Amino acid sequence: ARPAAAEAPAGAMDGSGERSLPEPDSQGSAAGDDIEIVVNVGGVRQVLYGDLLSQYPETRLAELINCLAGGYDTIFSLCDDYDPGKREFYFDRDPDAFKCVIEVYYFGEVHMKKGICPICFKNEMDFWKVDLKFLDDCCKSHLSEKREELEEIARRVQLILDDLGVDAAEGRWRRCQKCVWKFLEKPESSCPARVVAVLSFLLILVSSVVMCMGTIPELQVLDAEGNRVEHPTLENVETACIGWFTLEYLLRLFSSPNKLHFALSFMNIVDVLAILPFYVSLTLTHLGARMMELTNVQQAVQALRIMRIARIFKLARHSSGLQTLTYALKRSFKELGLLLMYLAVGIFVFSALGYTMEQSHPETLFKSIPQSFWWAIITMTTVGYGDIYPKTTLGKLNAAISFLCGVIAIALPIHPIINNFVRYYNKQRVLETAAKHELELMELNSSSGGEGKTGGSRSDLDNLPPEPAGKEAPSCSSRLKLSHSDTFIPLLTEEKHHRTRLQSCK
């Protein structure tokens, strides 16, 4: 049965003709634990009891227990509307999120259901004044991930705005520096920047092909000492490519906003490793012969030429797929370590077994266990060069089991690695799209603001067309107030009769 306060009349008329709040029963206010609270959240009616809500007195629902004594000001500071007849509190909030939030009163923790936006759920918890410490650990990790995504979107939007904006207070050198940086680092900023990016990509391929062709004996020539060296034409092409790479790196270094961060970046270190061997070998060729023997100089130059293979990694700068693959491998260190551990254990076990089983054969190829490591490696990875193979029946059985175990060991960690790649690739595409939609929304808001439209204002609501005749207009309490965390999208102007996807989501 309801307390006596619930059976009180809906309200009494005071001397001025205004309806006043019913006075709560003295016993009901004294024994707050027996009070029954009726809330209506987004059309879902819920009956809660004071003894349950008083466990967490700092929450919004617990504050409803004694709010009637404070009058309408206190009531509407906690809820959106109130029905004195039904003694029912109305909240224009998400009912699905509310069902999750009230779990804190029953179970002492909150678990976010699948399909609810973590950021919106956090806002709901803030509205109901439920601390985030009650949120389950798995949900906290999901919330942290979404926060990082929002920060990444904000960072991308800020970068785009920085590229579009021009500060008149900046000097000519600073503006020139920003233009050069944008020209070299943002291929999508203009058509000439895109042409330069494609040209740099082609020169990377050309230099890599020239490096390979320089090792073909038919394309080499003899020098004065009779040694084979690269063809002069290939050397000229190599010099031209290195000149372009050097110019590009220096321009990017001088125009960089943060030169220390630029110099320590991984891709910029790769650029230095691709350029540096050319100049070191050139220095050793002309000056090193005076300080050391010619043979040592030639060996040093040959070793530096091998370092030219680092320029192939420059392709990652122009390929988002290679960058995604690098990130996926970086996030998959645990799986890769697991794979190496499986292979290491298998190699040790099967090489020892193979060596033991093959000792009875007079023409055995397994001379020692360390030599058997090579056989175990090429067998478990299903390569099988055939230079070492078992000749006994037990040795062949051991080989069959080893490559079956190798296939299983390699296949197990592959799926998580592929998932990391797909997840990161899709995430980057979503973040890029979200950043573009955020810019579209900002442009829409700025255009509507420039026309004197104030989004979500009462005047806009008053100008809406009236309901057709014969149709009852929806009842709306005169005391209905806006909830504290509601977000309003500006009403569309006459020129724009559609919403973007981001507007619809918000």
Side-chain angles (χ1 to χ4, degrees), residues 9-257:
M13 302 294 291
D14 57 13
S16 60
E18 296 289 339
R19 183 179 296 275
S20 61
L21 280 174
E23 293 294 334
D25 187 84
S26 60
Q27 296 180 356
S29 59
D33 292 346
D34 298 333
I35 292 180
E36 186 180 84
I37 300 296
V38 182
V39 296
N40 191 312
V41 181
V44 178
R45 193 170 181 268
Q46 187 83 20
V47 179
L48 302 172
Y49 296 94
D51 57 346
L52 188 69
L53 302 180
S54 59
Q55 301 177 15
Y56 305 98
E58 69 279 0
T59 60
R60 183 179 293 268
L61 291 176
E63 294 176 356
L64 295 177
I65 298 177
N66 300 319
C67 70
L68 293 179
Y72 277 118
D73 292 337
T74 304
I75 293 176
F76 286 115
S77 66
L78 298 175
C79 65
D80 296 324
D81 199 8
Y82 175 71
D83 188 346
K86 299 180 180 179
R87 299 179 65 94
E88 188 170 346
F89 300 91
Y90 291 88
F91 296 89
D92 187 16
R93 311 298 301 185
D94 184 8
D96 295 330
F98 177 73
K99 293 177 182 178
C100 300
V101 171
I102 61 174
E103 290 181 355
V104 69
Y105 300 101
Y106 296 98
F107 309 110
E109 63 178 6
V110 179
H111 185 79
M112 180 173 54
K113 293 183 179 179
K114 187 177 181 180
I116 300 179
C117 174
I119 303 300
C120 295
F121 188 78
K122 175 187 175 299
N123 295 335
E124 291 293 322
M125 292 188 65
D126 293 339
F127 175 80
W128 296 110
K129 299 181 181 180
V130 177
D131 199 284
L132 286 177
K133 66 181 181 181
F134 297 108
L135 191 63
D136 195 63
D137 291 338
C138 63
C139 302
K140 286 181 180 179
S141 62
H142 197 191
L143 177 61
S144 300
E145 182 180 353
K146 293 301 178 182
R147 279 178 174 174
E148 293 176 359
E149 291 182 1
L150 289 180
E151 292 175 358
E152 178 66 18
I153 293 175
R155 187 186 66 84
R156 296 191 178 204
V157 171
Q158 186 62 41
L159 288 177
I160 296 176
L161 293 178
D162 292 341
D163 293 338
L164 295 177
V166 177
D167 191 357
E170 293 180 346
R172 180 178 301 177
W173 165 249
R174 181 60 179 171
R175 290 197 300 268
C176 180
Q177 187 179 10
K178 291 182 64 175
C179 290
V180 173
W181 176 258
K182 180 179 177 182
F183 182 77
L184 295 176
E185 289 289 328
K186 311 289 183 181
E188 68 279 359
S189 60
S190 63
C191 183
R194 190 175 295 109
V195 171
V196 170
V198 173
L199 179 60
S200 179
F201 180 82
L202 294 177
L203 288 177
I204 295 173
L205 295 179
V206 169
S207 63
S208 302
V209 172
V210 167
M211 182 189 67
C212 297
M213 293 178 63
T215 60
I216 301 176
E218 290 77 7
L219 298 180
Q220 294 178 346
V221 296
L222 299 176
D223 59 2
E225 288 80 12
N227 298 322
R228 288 187 174 274
V229 295
E230 289 186 2
H231 197 280
T233 303
L234 297 180
E235 289 185 353
N236 294 334
V237 175
E238 174 81 7
T239 303
C241 294
I242 291 297
W244 172 267
F245 298 151
T246 304
L247 178 63
E248 181 186 25
Y249 180 82
L250 293 177
L251 288 176
R252 291 172 55 243
L253 176 61
F254 292 147
S255 61
S256 172

Side-chain angles (χ1 to χ4, degrees), residues 168 170 185 210 255 283 305 323 332 360 374 445 459 471 498:
E170 293 180 346
E185 289 289 328
V210 167
S255 61
T283 303
R305 287 181 180 273
Q323 296 176 6
S332 304
S360 60
W374 170 249
N445 290 340
S459 60
K471 183 176 180 180
H498 64 279

